[in-house]
């Protein structure tokens, strides 16, 4: 393998849908409300991807420095722990990714004003504080909460606000659907690592509630978005055709739940990518449905 391949491993492309899906949805919602800028959309997407890459690199670096990543690790290879890349190189790449995200974010701040400043500060603090700092979120059972907040609510509502200057209830509810699925991605990762995380003193939600509890929580995280869509329709906030396409993702969600109950340990690795795929599919289908309803109106 080449050095480029090692950097691809460090970036973890399978996790990038966590950033793409919510930003896509937020931008499409803005477009459906006749307030849309391609410059904002592309800048937000680039900023989100850089933040996700920064989080992945930070996780790789800080988990190595704290001793959480060891030879007993069950997940995909971590480039720092395995010696494929030096800690200094990964740390510098993390800093570069976050700096690039901030530089792109200056344009979004210029458009959205002070509220976007606070969003940017929260995003960078979350990226660094997920695995690092005096109180790592991932080590204290807050990884899923962070995924829900940053790659759900903040991403969707944030980009919608920058595009439109508004943040209605509908956007918050739709943001929650994607946020829950992103939290499920995090839960798969933490459930796979229950044994090694417990040994390293990393108190994730999965470690706290055990394998059985994690399986029940995964079912809730995967199914609740579809119930929220039903609630949105019942409240008359969005026409049925806007959400109809999302139903296509339901069979994939059910299969994931069934498989999650059957396997554990390293066998959960494929489910990590499949859960990210569900998040991406759900986001795309919901975005297409929203466009369909907008164009049909």
């Amino acid at each position: 393998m080449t050095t480029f391949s090692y950097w691809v491993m460090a970036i973890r492309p399978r996790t990038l849908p966590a950033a793409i899906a919510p930003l896509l949805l937020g931008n499409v919602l803005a477009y459906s409300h006749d307030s849309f800028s391609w410059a904002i959309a592309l800048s937000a997407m680039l900023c989100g991807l850089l933040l996700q890459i920064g989080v992945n690199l930070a996780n790789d670096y800080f988990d190595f420095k704290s001793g959480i990543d060891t030879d007993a690790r069950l997940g995909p290879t971590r480039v720092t722990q395995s010696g494929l890349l030096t800690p200094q190189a990964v740390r510098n790449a993390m800093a570069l990714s976050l700096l690039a995200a901030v530089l792109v974010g200056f344009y979004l701040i210029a458009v959205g004003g002070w509220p976007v400043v606070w969003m940017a500060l929260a995003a960078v603090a979350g990226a660094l504080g997920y695995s690092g700092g005096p109180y790592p979120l991932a080590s204290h059972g807050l990884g899923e909460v962070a995924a829900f907040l940053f790659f759900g609510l903040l991403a969707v509502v944030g980009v919608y606000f920058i595009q439109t200057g508004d943040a209605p209830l509908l956007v918050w509810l739709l943001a929650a659907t994607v946020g829950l699925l992103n939290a499920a991605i995090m839960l798969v990762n933490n459930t796979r690592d229950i044994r090694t995380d417990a040994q390293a003193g990393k108190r994730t939600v999965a470690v706290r509630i055990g394998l059985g509890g994690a399986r029940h929580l995964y079912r809730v995280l995967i199914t609740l978005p579809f119930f929220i869509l039903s609630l949105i329709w019942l409240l008359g906030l969005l026409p049925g055709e806007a959400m109809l396409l999302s139903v296509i993702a339901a069979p994939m969600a059910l299969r994931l739940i069934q498989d999650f109950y059957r396997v554990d340990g390293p066998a959960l690795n494929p489910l990590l990518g499949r859960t990210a795929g569900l998040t991406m599919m759900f986001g795309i289908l919901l975005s297409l449905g929203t466009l369909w309803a907008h164009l049909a109106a």
Side-chain angles (χ1 to χ4, degrees):
M1 295 180 67
T2 64
T3 301
F4 175 77
S5 301
Y6 300 150
W7 282 112
V8 172
M9 291 170 60
I11 289 171
R12 302 182 215 168
R14 289 195 302 174
T15 67
L16 297 185
I20 296 172
L23 292 169
L24 173 65
L25 178 59
N27 280 307
V28 168
L29 286 169
Y31 179 83
S32 70
H33 290 108
D34 299 314
S35 182
F36 180 80
S37 161
W38 276 108
I40 293 174
L42 294 175
S43 297
M45 191 69 73
L46 177 59
C47 188
L49 287 171
L50 288 168
L51 284 170
Q52 177 68 65
I53 291 170
V55 169
N56 291 343
L57 293 171
N59 188 226
D60 200 299
Y61 172 75
F62 286 121
D63 277 2
F64 167 74
K65 296 294 288 184
S66 64
I68 290 174
D69 281 347
T70 67
D71 291 337
R73 175 176 167 76
L74 301 177
T77 302
R78 291 287 178 87
V79 295
T80 313
Q81 181 273 326
S82 61
L84 298 176
L85 295 172
T86 66
Q88 294 78 11
V90 176
R91 180 198 61 202
N92 293 342
M94 170 196 71
L96 183 62
S97 296
L98 296 179
L99 176 60
V102 170
L103 292 176
V104 175
F106 281 140
Y107 168 69
L108 300 176
I109 290 171
V111 174
W114 279 104
V116 185
V117 173
W118 297 114
M119 293 180 203
L121 290 174
V124 174
L128 292 172
Y130 175 76
S131 298
Y135 193 85
L137 299 177
S139 296
H140 291 87
L142 296 174
E144 288 80 5
V145 174
F148 175 78
L149 291 176
F150 291 108
F151 292 101
L153 300 187
L154 184 63
V156 177
V157 178
V159 73
Y160 183 90
F161 176 82
I162 298 170
Q163 291 275 20
T164 68
D166 196 11
L169 174 62
L170 170 64
V171 177
W172 286 95
L173 290 173
L174 291 175
T177 64
V178 181
L180 289 165
L181 293 175
N182 275 329
I185 298 174
M186 186 64 61
L187 182 62
V188 177
N189 181 81
N190 291 336
T191 303
R192 178 200 62 209
D193 296 335
I194 280 181
R195 181 177 60 81
T196 53
D197 281 347
Q199 291 172 347
K202 188 175 181 179
R203 300 288 293 168
T204 63
V205 166
V207 170
R208 293 172 185 268
I209 65 178
L211 179 59
R215 285 170 169 168
H216 294 322
L217 179 58
Y218 182 79
R219 179 173 59 188
V220 171
L221 293 175
I222 292 294
T223 57
L224 194 53
F226 296 94
F227 284 103
I228 292 176
L229 289 185
S230 300
L231 175 63
I232 290 172
W233 175 68
L234 289 173
L235 292 174
L237 297 176
L238 206 60
E241 58 266 27
M243 298 172 288
L244 186 60
L245 288 178
S246 302
V247 178
I248 297 174
M252 181 179 179
L254 292 174
R255 285 194 298 272
L256 278 169
I257 293 170
Q258 292 169 355
D259 291 344
F260 195 78
Y261 270 81
R262 284 197 291 259
V263 299
D264 59 14
L268 285 170
N269 281 327
L271 267 71
L272 186 63
R274 288 170 56 196
T275 305
L278 172 66
T279 303
M280 192 71 226
M281 176 185 288
F282 183 90
I284 291 174
L285 291 172
L286 186 53
S287 298
L288 289 175
T290 302
L291 281 176
W292 177 21
H294 174 66
L295 296 174

